[in-house]
Amino acid sequence: MGIVPGGDSGRGMEAVVVAVALLLLQLSSAMASTDDGVGGEEKYKDPRQPLSVRVEDLLRRMTLAEKIGQMSQIDRENATAGVIGGHFIGSVLRGGGRVPAPGAPPQAWVEMVEEIQRAAMSTRLGIPVVFGIDAVHGHGYAYGATVFPHNVGLGCTRDPELAKKIGAAVALEVRATGIPFIFAPCVAVCRDPRWGRCYESFSEDPKLVQQMASIISGFQGEIPARGGRRGAPFVAGQRSVAACAKHYVGDGGTTGGVNENNTVATFHDLLRVHMPPYYSAVIQGVSVVMVSYSSWNGVKMHANRFLVTDVLKNRLRFRGFVLSDWLGLDRITNPEHADYLLSVKLGILAGIDMVMIPYTYTEFIDDLTLLVQNGTIPMSRIDDAVRRILRVKFTMGLFEHPYADTSLAGELGKQEHRDLAREAVRRSLVLLKNGKSGDRAPLLPLPKKAGSILVAGSHADDLGSQCGGWTIAWQGLTGNNLTVGTTILDGIRRAVDPATDVVYAKNPGAGYLRQNKARFDYAIVVVGEAPYAETAGDNRNLTIPAPGPSVIQTVCGSVKCVVVLVSGRPLVVEPYVGVVMDALVAAWLPGTEGHGVADVLFGDYGFTGKLSRTWFRSVEQLPMNVGDAHYDPLFPFGFGLETQPSTA
C-alpha cells in the first residue's frame, strides 16, 4: 500500500485525520498517567532486570505518539519544555554554532542540557532524552576545550592506542558539560583530497582507518573480555560517551570528491574499500551509526534499505540505532524537501531509526503517524526503531543517571589532555623534505640558539586556522580570541634560547628581505588553508591559498627556510619543494597545542609521522591512491623522513 502525496483536497482530509488521531493519542496518554494501560510492575525502572526485559517492558507501555517522539531528534533551539513533553522527543542535538553563551563555562552547558532533561523526565513514562553534539577532534564547540589534531593527522601517527587515549580524553571533556553522546568518529575512507571533509578521514587506506577506529573504544570504554554480544551497543559508564560511526557508507568515495555526491562502485569494491571500518565499529559496540548524504550508484543512502537494513543490521548484526544526518530525509528528493511524505516513507523503511529534524519536527511526526496509521509503514518497523533507541539509552545508564556528574567539570581543557594533544601533534607531523641536494647537513632540527630568526606566514600566529573546521563554529574561525590554546609562533618563542631574537612578519615584502636577510640565521614559514567544513571545503585546484605562495618565494628565496604547511589534506607543492624550500613539514590541522610543532622543529623530539595519504603532484592525477595501477605521487603513501632528538 502506498500514498501519492500532493497539494489536493485528499491531503487536506488526511491532515484532519492525523489531527484527530493525535488528539486521541494525547487523550490516551493523559488517561494513562494514572494507569499505564498494561498493568504490572514497572520493570523498565529496575536496573537489576536484564536489558531485554527492561526494553520490552517499556516498549509495550508506549503509545504510538511516544514511540514516534523517541525517533525524533531536534535542535536544542526548539527544545522547550513544552515541545519535549508535548511530543515525547527522544533526542536533542546542539547544532550549527549555538552555545549557551560565548565563552560559556561547563556549568552553563550542564544547565542547558539538564533543563531539557527535566522536561523529558517529567513525562508519563520518564524516558530520558539523549543529548548529542559534534566532537570530531575534541569538544571543539566548548570554549577552553582541548582541540586535538584532526583525523588526517592522527592517521599519520599510525597508533591505535594513541587514538584510544584521545577518545577517552574527549569523552571526559564532553561529559564535563553534561553531554553523553557525540557524533564521532568519522570513519570515512577518503579517496580524493578534493573532498571538503577529507581531514575528517584517518586515511585513504581502509586498513589504516579500520585500525584507527579504535578511538571508539576510547569514547565508549572497552568491552569486557567476558560478556558483551557482538553488535550490541556498549558504554562503560558516566565517564564515557556513546559514539556514532559516520557516514555510512562510501562518503569518502564520491565522484570528483564532491561532498554528498554519488559513489560509483561495485558491491565488492564497496565492501573492500569503504565497509571495513564499520566492521571494527560494530565489533567495538558502537552505539550509533549515522547515514551518509551521499548515494551509492545513484541510490541515496538515506533510502537504501539493502545497505542499511540487509547489510548493516542483518549481516553485520548491528544492534544500536541508525541516525539520519541533518535534514537527511529532506535531501532524498531533488529539490530538497520536494516530497517529504515520500522521503519519510523511504527513509524509515530503509531502516533509519532516529531522524535528525532540527526544525520541522511537527511535520515529520505528523507524516510518520499518517504512514503508520494507513499501513504504509508497519508497526513492527516502528517497534524495531524504538527498541534500538531504548537499548542504547539503557546501555548508557541514562535511566539511572539522567543528569550530569558535576565532579567532572574540571576535565574540560585539563593539562593532562593538553599534554596528550601536544604528543599527538608531535607524532602526526610528517617531514617531507630536509635539506637541498648538495647540502652537507640537513636543516632540521633547527638550532635553538641563534642570533635572529624570522617567522612568517598567515598561519604562524592564528589559533583558529591551526584548529580548522568544527571548532567553536561549524566552519571554524580565524583569530586568537576564540578559545584557549597555543599558536605555533607561541611555541617557537617558548622553544628557542632566551637570547634568540624571534622576529614575526606575517607577509614580509621583497624589500624587507633585501634589507634584513643577512640578519636572519634561518626562517620558519607557516602557511596553509583557511578553516572550512563539508561542502564549503570542496576544492578543485588544491593550491596553497594566497598569499602563501608569494611568502614562500620571497622568504625562502632570501633566507634558509623550513615551510610548515597547515592544511586538511595534501596541496600542490611541487613548484616550490624542489627549488626554494630547504625543508617541508606537513602539520595538518594540529589543534590548540601549537607548541607540539615547535617540539619537533627544534629537536626535543624526532620526526616519526608517516603519510596516511598519497601526496599527488597535480590535481590532474586525482583520484590516485596507493595500490592504483598508475601511481606516480610526489610523496607516496607511508612516506616520512625521520630525525633523532637533538643532543645539543
Side-chain angles (χ1 to χ4, degrees):
M1 183 183 297
I3 296 175
V4 180
D8 58 11
S9 60
R11 180 66 187 262
M13 182 61 69
E14 289 168 352
V16 173
V17 172
V18 170
V20 172
L22 286 172
L23 182 61
L24 291 173
L25 287 169
Q26 295 285 355
L27 179 61
S28 171
S29 297
M31 294 173 64
S33 63
T34 55
D35 179 0
D36 60 34
V38 293
E41 179 188 359
E42 294 176 314
K43 294 181 179 179
Y44 77 92
K45 293 183 178 180
D46 183 359
R48 297 168 298 180
Q49 295 288 338
L51 175 63
S52 60
V53 171
R54 299 182 76 184
V55 169
E56 294 305 322
D57 180 65
L58 179 51
L59 186 65
R60 71 192 178 98
R61 298 171 188 274
M62 297 173 69
T63 64
L64 177 61
E66 288 166 329
K67 291 176 180 179
I68 290 176
Q70 286 301 300
M71 297 171 68
S72 307
Q73 184 181 71
I74 67 172
D75 189 89
R76 76 103 174 162
E77 185 177 291
N78 300 311
T80 63
V83 170
I84 296 292
H87 296 284
F88 315 106
I89 298 298
S91 184
V92 175
L93 79 152
R94 193 249 67 142
R98 285 171 290 279
V99 296
Q107 186 55 38
W109 286 86
V110 168
E111 290 171 0
M112 177 188 75
V113 176
E114 291 196 344
E115 181 182 1
I116 292 167
Q117 193 66 283
R118 283 192 294 271
M121 298 303 291
S122 66
T123 57
R124 179 176 75 94
L125 295 172
I127 304 174
V129 156
V130 58
F131 194 105
I133 194 166
D134 289 294
V136 300
H137 64 146
H139 195 7
Y141 288 142
Y143 179 87
T146 307
V147 178
F148 291 85
H150 268 294
N151 288 352
V152 66
L154 295 184
C156 296
T157 71
R158 281 170 160 69
D159 189 342
E161 288 301 315
L162 177 63
K164 198 179 298 183
K165 291 178 183 177
I166 289 171
V170 173
L172 285 169
E173 298 211 7
V174 172
R175 280 286 194 174
T177 58
I179 298 172
F181 171 37
I182 61 172
F183 307 125
C186 178
V187 293
V189 181
C190 175
R191 305 290 282 180
D192 193 325
R194 291 173 292 187
W195 185 36
R197 303 193 81 146
C198 202
Y199 63 75
E200 296 182 54
S201 168
F202 290 109
S203 177
E204 69 188 41
D205 175 54
K207 291 182 180 178
L208 182 52
V209 177
Q210 196 171 14
Q211 291 167 1
M212 299 302 287
S214 61
I215 197 170
I216 292 169
S217 291
F219 291 142
Q220 299 193 153
E222 292 270 13
I223 298 176
R226 292 187 178 183
R229 176 183 170 195
R230 177 176 175 176
F234 175 81
V235 180
Q238 282 190 282
R239 297 174 68 86
S240 301
V241 293
C244 173
K246 62 184 189 181
H247 309 84
Y248 185 83
V249 59
D251 53 338
T254 57
T255 301
V258 176
N259 192 41
E260 304 181 24
N261 201 15
N262 187 35
T263 298
V264 178
T266 65
F267 183 51
H268 172 77
D269 284 340
L270 193 73
L271 294 180
R272 179 181 62 86
V273 175
H274 299 285
M275 197 69 76
Y278 291 96
Y279 307 154
S280 294
V282 169
I283 290 169
Q284 291 177 80
V286 73
S287 299
V288 182
V289 171
M290 183 186 290
V291 179
S292 175
Y293 287 129
S294 59
S295 304
W296 175 50
N297 294 333
V299 178
K300 288 280 189 180
M301 278 302 311
H302 276 75
N304 197 316
R305 177 179 170 82
F306 170 67
L307 289 176
V308 175
T309 295
D310 295 349
V311 175
L312 178 63
K313 291 185 173 181
N314 295 340
R315 297 192 195 181
L316 299 188
R317 303 189 64 78
F318 171 62
R319 294 290 177 266
F321 69 81
V322 176
L323 175 66
S324 84
D325 207 335
W326 177 282
L327 299 177
L329 294 193
D330 301 60
R331 301 187 192 188
I332 289 175
T333 58
N334 187 15
E336 184 178 319
H337 202 82
D339 192 339
Y340 193 60
L341 193 66
L342 175 64
S343 294
V344 173
K345 169 189 168 182
L346 293 174
I348 300 302
L349 289 178
I352 294 173
D353 303 311
M354 182 181 284
V355 179
M356 194 183 290
I357 34 165
Y359 311 121
T360 57
Y361 54 92
T362 55
E363 183 182 13
F364 167 75
I365 290 169
D366 290 350
D367 282 0
L368 183 52
T369 302
L370 174 62
L371 290 167
V372 174
Q373 290 177 337
N374 68 17
T376 301
I377 295 178
M379 198 67 199
S380 60
R381 173 75 271 272
I382 301 300
D383 285 346
D384 170 62
V386 178
R387 186 177 287 114
R388 290 169 176 275
I389 293 165
L390 295 179
R391 183 182 295 132
V392 170
K393 289 186 175 185
F394 279 119
T395 301
M396 295 172 68
L398 277 179
F399 283 80
E400 287 68 56
H401 304 287
Y403 301 110
D405 179 354
T406 54
S407 70
L408 298 176
E411 297 290 336
L412 189 76
K414 68 186 284 189
Q415 190 58 47
E416 180 184 339
H417 299 163
R418 294 191 181 278
D419 292 343
L420 179 63
R422 185 171 178 173
E423 177 189 353
V425 173
R426 292 194 295 260
R427 298 178 60 191
S428 67
L429 302 177
V430 180
L431 180 57
L432 298 174
K433 180 181 180 180
N434 192 13
K436 292 181 179 178
S437 59
D439 285 356
R440 288 180 294 176
L443 179 62
L444 300 175
L446 297 168
K448 293 182 178 181
K449 194 167 186 178
S452 185
I453 65 175
L454 173 65
V455 180
S458 55
H459 287 52
D461 190 31
D462 193 319
L463 189 62
S465 290
Q466 71 189 42
C467 288
W470 303 101
T471 311
I472 300 300
W474 170 42
Q475 291 289 327
L477 298 163
T478 58
N480 292 334
N481 60 347
L482 312 171
T483 190
V484 178
T486 303
T487 68
I488 294 172
L489 177 62
D490 289 335
I492 292 169
R493 285 174 169 157
R494 296 180 191 181
V496 299
D497 186 270
T500 299
D501 181 29
V502 178
V503 177
Y504 174 57
K506 186 174 182 178
N507 187 8
Y512 176 84
L513 266 300
R514 280 194 301 270
Q515 294 174 6
N516 293 277
K517 66 178 181 178
R519 170 186 174 190
F520 300 119
D521 292 82
Y522 56 84
I524 302 171
V525 177
V526 191
V527 295
E529 295 183 292
Y532 58 82
E534 299 193 52
T535 302
D538 286 355
N539 189 319
R540 310 308 300 164
N541 58 55
L542 295 180
T543 53
I544 299 173
S550 65
V551 175
I552 292 172
Q553 296 279 15
T554 301
V555 176
C556 297
S558 302
V559 183
K560 186 164 55 177
C561 83
V562 53
V563 173
V564 178
L565 187 61
V566 176
S567 67
R569 53 203 162 186
L571 300 177
V572 177
V573 296
E574 192 172 35
Y576 327 104
V577 73
V579 183
V580 294
M581 296 178 182
D582 293 274
L584 174 62
V585 176
W588 313 111
L589 296 168
T592 52
E593 309 313 301
H595 36 21
V597 176
D599 286 342
V600 186
L601 288 178
F602 292 97
D604 290 330
Y605 297 83
F607 281 93
T608 58
K610 304 295 180 183
L611 286 178
S612 62
R613 306 205 50 78
T614 296
W615 203 294
F616 57 90
R617 296 178 183 277
S618 67
V619 291
E620 286 73 28
Q621 295 176 294
L622 300 176
M624 178 175 62
N625 296 281
V626 62
D628 288 355
H630 301 287
Y631 191 68
D632 180 31
L634 181 61
F635 302 109
F637 174 86
F639 179 82
L641 301 174
E642 296 188 10
T643 62
Q644 296 300 314
S646 175
T647 57

